Amino acid sequence: MQTKMEDLPLPTLFEQARKIHSTATDSGADQEVVKKGLEALVKCEDMVNKLGLFSTNETKEDISTTNLKYLLVPFYLAELTEKVAQDDRIQILKASQEKFKEFISLCEAMELVPKEELEASTQGVPNSLADQRARKIARFKRQKAAEAKLLEIKERKERRGRSTKAAALSTPVEAGEEDELDDDGEEEREAWLTTISLAICKTFDLLKLLKDEEEILCAVKEKKSKEGDKEFSRDVLDNRTQTVEAWHRDAAVRARYTKPAQPITCAAFAQDVLEGRAKVSEVHDHKHQPMIFGPASVVGGGFTSERERMAAQVFQPTHRLPTMSIEEAGLKEMEIMNKWQERNVKLMEEANHSWYKDNRMPRPGEEDDEDDDAVVEKARRWDDWKDENPRGAGNKKLTPCG
């Protein structure tokens, strides 16, 4: 394999390394694939340096379209280096950061790095949280715009390929072939520049993550050295794993012989109350235990150490937890319904009471039976008047034909 890789030309070797990088990034870090990709990329880097494809005196306009893609070699090297599985993780992080910084320096010399990123990196004093947030939002927008542009270029190339194939089947292309090749060259240059811009956005984000991880690992290493280099982390994880596995095994064994309690739901209890099989006062309190997140929730106990307490504070839900269960909400509604029914029964009893009927005040529209004749007479006079004076009779002079 080594002799075959040495015999490959630079474009073929780079394309092979790029495919390996894409496979390792998308489908996980298989160590054999990672090592093969690192070997190919190191060979590409040596060939680029020997050929002298890039110079600090050049800008992106001076670089040919065929050589633009080789600017991504340090970026691919940094990403694959970070995926190497090794006991000394700190050295891997440092090597990956060095390659990322090398990629940023090369892009800066070619005037490919945005000005705001350069200003932020050159400042020695850390920026405020608002400035960091604004810079992160702007970087995210550039990254999304680059991804959308690459997708557009890919779809445009596929459409043009289909149309070219259809045209070639019908008539051979003779005129305008050189223009089409020029369009392909411009499109390829635009695609590689957009890919480099996307890689720059990812590099600044990854540099921050790798630096934070390195600081954490260095702090843990220093703490281990102060405590006599005890293997506490591995022992704690092994004990916790054994406890969890034993808990699951016991629960699985108990589930075979124990009958689970029938859950009391809001709908079932309401049906029992309506059909007379239960009363509201007989219901049990359905109170949920406070939810514990982190290792303590897996083991099934309380906080036994400061580490578990801090982990429980970190692993919190992303949504608001309910203040009551469905059963409690149903009981509230049942209580309101019972009060409403009791009030209606009381009102009906008062309405049917004889004292209520005797002392009821007459309504404004109600009159005694002795006034019925007067009402009938008044209605008859009103009907007679309407017969003698039809509707609109007094307005005939106002009409155009009146």
Side-chain angles (χ1 to χ4, degrees):
M1 180 66 187
Q2 183 69 22
T3 56
K4 291 183 180 179
M5 186 174 294
E6 290 179 352
D7 296 337
L8 291 176
L10 179 58
T12 306
L13 189 62
F14 176 79
E15 189 64 26
Q16 181 180 351
R18 192 170 68 89
K19 289 180 180 179
I20 294 174
H21 168 267
S22 178
T23 304
T25 305
D26 296 339
S27 61
D30 186 6
Q31 292 302 307
E32 293 297 329
V33 177
V34 170
K35 290 180 181 179
K36 188 183 297 183
L38 284 174
E39 185 180 357
L41 287 170
V42 169
K43 182 63 179 176
C44 284
E45 190 177 32
D46 293 339
M47 294 178 70
V48 169
N49 293 333
K50 289 178 180 179
L51 294 174
L53 298 181
F54 307 115
S55 173
T56 55
N57 299 325
E58 295 178 342
T59 60
K60 59 183 178 181
E61 286 80 9
D62 301 327
I63 303 174
S64 63
T65 303
T66 55
N67 294 337
L68 269 177
K69 55 188 176 184
Y70 302 126
L71 287 172
L72 295 167
V73 171
F75 174 75
Y76 292 156
L77 261 175
E79 281 201 327
L80 286 184
T81 303
E82 189 269 334
K83 296 183 181 300
V84 174
Q86 186 176 324
D87 295 336
D88 193 357
R89 175 68 177 170
I90 298 178
Q91 296 298 326
I92 294 296
L93 295 176
K94 288 182 178 179
S96 180
Q97 290 182 71
E98 288 297 327
K99 287 299 176 183
F100 276 129
K101 292 177 181 178
E102 180 182 343
F103 172 67
I104 291 296
S105 300
L106 185 59
C107 293
E108 181 181 355
M110 303 299 168
E111 299 179 357
L112 290 168
V113 183
K115 293 182 180 180
E116 53 268 22
E117 296 288 358
L118 290 176
E119 292 175 358
S121 60
T122 53
Q123 289 178 356
V125 182
N127 297 330
S128 62
L129 295 177
D131 294 339
Q132 293 178 8
R133 181 175 180 274
R135 189 167 63 253
K136 201 167 186 178
I137 291 174
R139 187 184 303 156
F140 178 78
K141 290 181 178 178
R142 288 197 304 271
Q143 182 174 347
K144 289 298 178 182
E147 292 175 354
K149 194 171 183 180
L150 286 175
L151 183 61
E152 179 186 356
I153 293 173
K154 181 180 178 182
E155 293 176 352
R156 196 189 329 167
K157 187 181 296 184
E158 291 177 354
R159 287 196 303 269
R160 189 169 61 252
R162 289 194 297 268
S163 61
T164 304
K165 186 181 295 185
L169 292 176
S170 59
T171 56
V173 180
E174 297 178 357
E177 187 175 358
E178 295 181 358
D179 295 338
E180 184 179 351
L181 293 176
D182 293 340
D183 292 340
D184 291 342
E186 291 296 330
E187 191 175 67
E188 183 182 1
R189 186 177 186 84
E190 183 182 8
W192 283 119
L193 288 175
T194 307
T195 305
I196 294 171
S197 177
L198 180 61
I200 290 172
C201 295
K202 292 181 179 180
T203 299
F204 282 107
D205 290 334
L206 290 173
L207 275 174
K208 179 68 169 59
L209 294 177
L210 296 179
K211 184 178 180 182
D212 293 341
E213 185 179 356
E214 182 186 356
E215 291 176 355
I216 293 173
L217 292 178
C218 289
V220 172
K221 187 176 181 180
E222 184 179 357
K223 184 177 180 180
K224 281 184 178 181
S225 61
K226 288 182 179 179
E227 294 180 357
D229 198 15
K230 297 179 181 178
E231 296 291 337
F232 65 95
S233 298
R234 178 56 58 186
D235 295 339
V236 169
L237 290 176
D238 293 341
N239 292 334
R240 189 167 296 165
T241 303
Q242 294 175 1
T243 304
V244 172
E245 290 178 353
W247 183 80
H248 281 292
R249 283 196 300 268
D250 296 341
V253 172
R254 288 196 304 268
R256 299 177 183 176
Y257 308 103
T258 58
K259 183 179 180 181
Q262 187 70 20
I264 302 176
T265 61
C266 175
F269 178 71
Q271 187 70 22
D272 292 342
V273 171
L274 292 176
E275 296 178 0
R277 293 191 298 269
K279 296 181 180 179
V280 179
S281 58
E282 296 178 358
V283 70
H284 299 284
D285 293 335
H286 301 281
K287 294 183 178 179
H288 289 194
Q289 295 295 328
M291 299 183 70
I292 301 175
F293 298 88
S297 64
V298 180
V299 177
F303 302 137
T304 58
S305 64
E306 182 68 15
R307 180 186 180 88
E308 292 184 355
R309 187 187 67 80
M310 295 176 66
Q313 292 178 354
V314 172
F315 298 103
Q316 291 295 321
T318 58
H319 58 277
R320 292 185 178 180
L321 296 178
T323 57
M324 64 174 65
S325 64
I326 299 178
E327 288 77 10
E328 290 174 341
L331 293 178
K332 284 283 186 182
E333 293 184 1
M334 289 292 296
E335 184 179 355
I336 295 173
M337 183 184 70
N338 289 336
K339 290 182 180 180
W340 180 74
Q341 289 180 349
E342 292 174 359
R343 180 173 174 273
N344 287 343
V345 170
K346 187 176 180 181
L347 291 176
M348 291 297 295
E349 291 177 354
E350 291 179 355
N352 295 328
H353 199 272
S354 59
W355 177 86
Y356 177 79
K357 292 181 177 180
D358 296 340
N359 296 318
R360 186 173 64 89
M361 296 295 294
R363 295 182 179 178
E366 296 180 352
E367 296 181 357
D368 297 337
D369 294 338
E370 58 187 12
D371 296 335
D372 290 344
D373 296 338
V375 173
V376 172
E377 184 64 26
K378 182 179 180 181
R380 286 176 180 174
R381 289 199 302 269
W382 175 246
D383 290 338
D384 295 339
W385 186 89
K386 286 195 295 183
D387 293 339
E388 295 173 358
N389 301 278
R391 183 178 180 84
N395 297 330
K396 290 183 177 180
K397 295 182 180 181
L398 299 177
T399 59
C401 300

